Amino acid sequence: MSTLLDIQSQLSETDALVSDLEASLCAHPDRLAIAANLRSAVKMQTLLRAQFMDAAAQVGVEVCRYRAFTDISHTAAAPALSAIVSFQKLFSVVFGSLKYGFKQRATISPEVASETDLQLRFAFTGSIGVVLTARSDANLFDDSFLDDSLETIFKMAKAKTPKQILAFADRLGPGAINALHNWAQDNTDGGLGADIEWRRGTKIRGKLFVQRQELSKLRSAIDLTGTPHEETIVVDGILDAVGVSKRRFTIKRDGLPDISGSVELGAIDRKHKATLPMRYRAKILKTTRLRVAAGKQVIKYHLLGLTPAKGKST
């Protein structure tokens, strides 16, 4: 790790020298000596960056190369840095959801912050880019949750419909969707796309290239999860309770949470009698609404019909 720090120190000095020479050349474009010195400094800068990546590979450090790019001629550093900070939070929240469980809000515990903290090593030109590394004492080095987190985030970034977003919310919780929305929002507001490459040693563990237009559509898809999304599902379970007057039902499922909700008029009546407790196959209308800002996922179930199913009833 000391080698990485040494190279990083040299990079900082070289980056500062390149900036000074670029400013000098703008002020004195006719001075050939300045141009020659700038070419030498840029060459050294490129060499040091390559040495940094090689050194990181030798010690097995996780390296994240994040390039925030735009399709206009210039972008301010502030929007790009805001998007990178949002990505750090998204990474931490998704990792925490996968390792420690469903998260209602986009909060990060001290433990998860320690495991997923990315350290800025150097910046590079070509829009706005940074190289981040995970600390060598972080638990995620031997943790399969890292690969799962990267795969999940990169799939989330390519989501196009509210249904896809809601599937991630079911798995991770509204907190992860809130963090995803903030990252998409920061990119959209800054007119930015993201080019991300994550590697450990010489192995690339994940890549993502997503354009500004895609992130804008992603944000819109998340916003649309606030409207009710309906789908018809079929579940097997034991009908445990029925309230005929208020038309309510409860079905117990093996190894899964109970389902309770309203009953369609005519689904259970004198013509369509139900026995309690008994195993049924239930046709149910599931309505999901995600309130991202509030960190809530509201799910309602409406029983459409029952048919007897095989299996034990008690």
Side-chain angles (χ1 to χ4, degrees):
M1 186 62 70
S2 61
T3 302
L4 286 177
L5 295 176
D6 289 342
I7 297 173
Q8 185 181 349
S9 177
Q10 294 178 59
L11 264 171
S12 296
E13 294 175 1
T14 305
D15 289 344
L17 177 60
V18 169
S19 296
D20 290 343
L21 289 170
E22 286 176 337
S24 297
L25 189 60
C26 287
H28 307 285
D30 56 333
R31 295 190 179 180
L32 299 180
I34 297 177
N37 288 335
L38 178 57
R39 286 194 296 271
S40 296
V42 169
K43 184 176 180 180
M44 177 58 68
Q45 186 183 56
T46 302
L47 177 62
L48 287 170
R49 288 173 180 170
Q51 289 177 352
F52 180 92
M53 299 301 289
D54 289 342
Q58 290 176 14
V59 297
V61 167
E62 306 281 347
V63 176
C64 175
R65 177 185 176 276
Y66 190 117
R67 183 174 70 92
F69 65 89
T70 178
D71 50 12
I72 58 178
S73 59
H74 176 71
T75 184
L81 292 177
S82 178
I84 293 168
V85 170
S86 295
F87 176 78
Q88 162 74 88
K89 184 172 184 179
L90 173 61
F91 172 57
S92 297
V93 172
V94 170
F95 181 92
S97 297
L98 291 171
K99 187 171 184 180
Y100 299 105
F102 191 92
K103 289 186 67 64
Q104 290 288 351
R105 298 186 177 277
T107 55
I108 303 170
S109 68
E111 184 176 16
V112 170
S114 176
E115 289 180 293
T116 59
D117 186 30
L118 301 175
Q119 304 293 306
L120 175 62
R121 291 303 181 181
F122 62 82
F124 55 90
T125 55
S127 295
I128 303 294
V130 297
V131 168
L132 308 164
T133 60
R135 293 207 311 264
S136 60
D137 59 341
N139 293 336
L140 56 79
F141 272 76
D142 298 316
D143 204 329
S144 62
F145 288 105
L146 171 61
D147 290 327
D148 198 4
S149 297
L150 294 176
E151 181 180 0
T152 300
I153 291 170
F154 293 168
K155 286 182 178 179
M156 291 169 72
K158 291 292 186 176
K160 294 180 174 61
T161 66
K163 183 177 180 179
Q164 292 172 323
I165 299 297
L166 290 170
F168 287 115
D170 285 340
R171 180 186 180 194
L172 305 170
I177 308 304
N178 179 285
L180 179 67
H181 185 274
N182 290 342
W183 178 62
Q185 181 77 56
D186 284 342
N187 279 281
T188 302
D189 289 348
L192 300 167
D195 179 12
I196 305 171
E197 180 184 275
W198 194 297
R199 64 170 65 222
R200 184 179 187 184
T202 58
K203 180 182 178 181
I204 296 176
R205 304 185 72 164
K207 295 183 71 173
L208 172 68
F209 183 88
V210 59
Q211 299 186 67
R212 170 181 56 83
Q213 295 86 347
E214 294 176 276
L215 289 167
S216 179
K217 292 179 181 178
L218 172 63
R219 181 192 61 180
S220 298
I222 297 173
D223 289 336
L224 287 174
T225 60
T227 59
H229 173 75
E230 295 183 345
E231 61 178 323
T232 301
I233 62 174
V234 176
V235 302
D236 284 354
I238 296 174
L239 186 65
D240 185 66
V242 174
V244 177
S245 60
K246 295 184 179 181
R247 299 209 300 273
R248 301 290 299 175
F249 79 97
T250 297
I251 289 180
K252 292 185 175 294
R253 298 182 293 169
D254 300 333
L256 294 170
D258 297 351
I259 287 181
S260 296
S262 57
V263 178
E264 177 79 3
L265 185 65
I268 300 176
D269 54 20
R270 290 182 179 181
K271 185 178 179 180
H272 305 90
K273 295 182 179 180
T275 304
L276 302 179
M278 183 171 174
R279 183 173 293 276
Y280 285 95
R281 174 159 293 177
K283 183 178 180 182
I284 297 173
L285 179 66
K286 177 182 177 182
T287 304
T288 306
R289 176 180 294 173
L290 185 64
R291 298 175 181 172
V292 175
K296 292 182 180 179
Q297 186 176 21
V298 180
I299 301 177
K300 295 182 178 180
Y301 299 98
H302 185 65
L303 180 64
L304 301 175
L306 294 168
T307 56
K310 296 179 180 180
K312 295 181 179 179
S313 297
T314 57

